[in-house]
Amino acid sequence: PEPEVDFSDRSMEWIADDGFAIAMGGPYAYGSVNIDVRVRLTGSEWADGQVRGMRIYDLYTGEEVMRGKAGSCRLQPGEYTLHYGAAVRREDGTFECRYGTADFEVTLPGFELTMPILSHPEDIDLSRTIVVRCSFETDDAAWRNFSCSVQLVNLRTGEEITHQSYTPNERWAFRLTERGTYRAVATVSNGSETLVIRKDFVLPELTNPKDIYHTLNWRAIDFDKVIQYYIDFYSDEACTEKLSLQHSAACHYIVWRRHHDAEGNPTKNDKVMEDTVMLPAGVTTYNLPYTFEAKDYLTLHGYRYDYEIVGIEYR
């Protein structure tokens, strides 16, 4: 018979041992997760007949959420560290647990927290409000109706950022004070069950502001007859620390004519002009010198004009 081992006994010593290495797949859907089935034993010291135990820690908070004999458990959506081990009898008849470590994730299918602006680093500007979005698309009838609230925490300072506005269950707008790592904490409820879901977001530091800190846009003018391109420059603290406003900038650009076939697929590009223009000091918006007739821009003739900003050198 298997020996009686109480893995929940706080006096039992747990010892990390490379011979008991493990791996975990995943992510796993929210609900009961059978750890004993999911874990894969990769070390050299595993043997049949061993009595096995597990400890599980929340990767975000470091809190221990489960300790005991290996088997199934129900976990909130999140990321976890698993200690999975085997009981080893000592000479005095007591047991220690030799274990391996692996990380795994539990997800709530259909639920996603995103900060869409992070997919476009050139659009990140601390003078603008940044939005965290919640989406929930699921076939699970229990979660078709839900409520959600989101908090955002600056992980460097521990400060909770107060939202500027929100759309229930969809969008929360925040004004961030600095670049760095933020944690969104979403509390989601369907009336009978409440879950807490966390996700970290990193606002990258400005390492090369001449490439990152501008964006190219266009507008229709003169009753939509003419298309004009312009550059927007950002000026939050992170930018102005690096780019003193008493300096001007040289903007090197190329104007292209993009040709397309009848299906709209690109066929070739003609370089129309290439030049450098000096931007005034402290400018936040600058109209580029070459404009286009809207009928050409809208590809009625099978081609379109546009700008490429090759580089901006601050002097």
Side-chain angles (χ1 to χ4, degrees), residues 282-298:
V283 68
T284 56
T285 297
Y286 185 81
N287 295 331
L288 290 164
Y290 202 79
T291 58
F292 317 104
E293 292 187 51
K295 63 182 179 66
D296 291 337
Y297 181 82
L298 298 176

Side-chain angles (χ1 to χ4, degrees), residues 108-295:
L108 185 60
F111 184 89
E112 186 178 18
L113 276 175
T114 61
M115 194 180 284
I117 199 168
L118 292 183
S119 61
H120 302 284
E122 69 276 8
D123 289 341
I124 296 174
D125 175 14
L126 295 189
S127 68
R128 300 181 181 183
T129 299
I130 292 179
V131 172
V132 175
R133 288 183 181 169
C134 161
S135 63
F136 207 153
E137 299 176 4
T138 180
D139 294 328
D140 186 346
W143 287 98
R144 285 184 185 155
N145 295 311
F146 71 98
S147 62
C148 177
S149 63
V150 174
Q151 297 174 307
L152 200 66
V153 177
N154 183 331
L155 290 186
R156 188 187 69 82
T157 64
E159 173 193 6
E160 181 180 327
I161 311 300
T162 303
H163 63 254
Q164 306 291 310
S165 62
Y166 70 97
T167 305
N169 304 340
E170 184 181 350
R171 293 162 52 94
W172 285 262
F174 299 90
R175 182 63 61 82
L176 305 185
T177 55
E178 62 182 7
R179 299 176 183 277
T181 304
Y182 292 82
R183 177 168 296 161
V185 182
T187 303
V188 188
S189 176
N190 63 1
S192 61
E193 204 172 0
T194 299
L195 305 175
V196 176
I197 299 169
R198 303 175 180 89
K199 184 170 182 180
D200 290 355
F201 297 101
V202 179
L203 266 68
E205 296 292 336
L206 280 177
T207 56
N208 192 354
K210 73 176 184 181
D211 291 336
I212 251 183
Y213 236 67
H214 67 272
T215 186
L216 181 67
N217 302 294
W218 64 270
R219 64 170 74 88
I221 56 177
D222 192 16
F223 300 101
D224 294 346
K225 293 179 181 178
V226 177
I227 298 298
Q228 180 179 64
Y229 275 90
Y230 61 96
I231 309 175
D232 268 342
F233 293 87
Y234 304 145
S235 57
D236 66 46
E237 183 180 358
C239 180
T240 53
E241 283 179 355
K242 291 176 178 287
L243 308 177
S244 179
L245 291 182
Q246 72 264 23
H247 294 106
S248 59
C251 174
H252 183 61
Y253 66 87
I254 300 175
V255 177
W256 295 96
R257 182 166 52 230
R258 317 281 192 186
H259 295 261
H260 302 79
D261 60 21
E263 285 74 39
N265 302 309
T267 55
K268 68 172 183 174
N269 298 318
D270 296 330
K271 184 187 290 187
V272 177
M273 70 160 54
E274 182 173 0
D275 201 358
T276 298
V277 62
M278 294 302 298
L279 308 180
V283 68
T284 56
T285 297
Y286 185 81
N287 295 331
L288 290 164
Y290 202 79
T291 58
F292 317 104
E293 292 187 51
K295 63 182 179 66

